[in-house]
Amino acid sequence: DYVVYELWSKKHEKKYVGMSSNSIARFKSHNEKGKKGWTIKFRPWKMVFTRFFKTKAEALAFEKFLKSGKGREWRKNNIKYE
């Protein structure tokens, strides 16, 4: 299974959308273990949205949607950032 997720950094008011086949390890990478990349600068992260898919193609398509203009609007109306 694949998961599309959104992280929220309340401290820095940043959002991050990603996709993974191992959401727990990926979340740990964003919050603890990662040594490089954009997300390390805005820790701590909170997982505010997840949706699971059977195929990588479906997950990638939904991730792409979430990063689009319509997807950003959908996120604004459907995800609580607290």
Side-chain angles (χ1 to χ4, degrees):
D1 286 358
Y2 295 87
V3 63
V4 174
Y5 58 89
E6 182 164 353
L7 305 178
W8 163 244
S9 172
K10 182 177 182 178
K11 180 178 177 181
H12 301 283
E13 295 190 12
K14 296 288 184 183
K15 300 170 186 172
Y16 179 84
V17 173
M19 188 275 297
S20 178
S21 60
N22 186 337
S23 58
I24 294 170
R26 190 71 180 122
F27 184 66
K28 283 184 178 181
S29 173
H30 286 305
N31 252 348
E32 301 168 13
K33 296 184 178 188
K35 302 279 190 253
K36 60 182 178 176
W38 185 83
T39 60
I40 67 166
K41 297 179 279 189
F42 304 110
R43 292 174 177 164
W45 292 98
K46 177 181 177 184
M47 185 92 55
V48 293
F49 174 81
T50 57
R51 182 169 291 173
F52 292 87
F53 297 89
K54 289 288 182 192
T55 70
K56 187 175 184 178
E58 290 173 313
L60 287 170
F62 191 69
E63 179 189 22
K64 185 176 180 179
F65 163 73
L66 289 181
K67 292 177 176 180
S68 71
K70 287 184 180 181
R72 284 190 296 276
E73 185 70 22
W74 183 91
R75 289 162 40 209
K76 187 173 99 175
N77 293 325
N78 291 282
I79 299 174
K80 302 288 187 236
Y81 302 98
E82 298 176 9

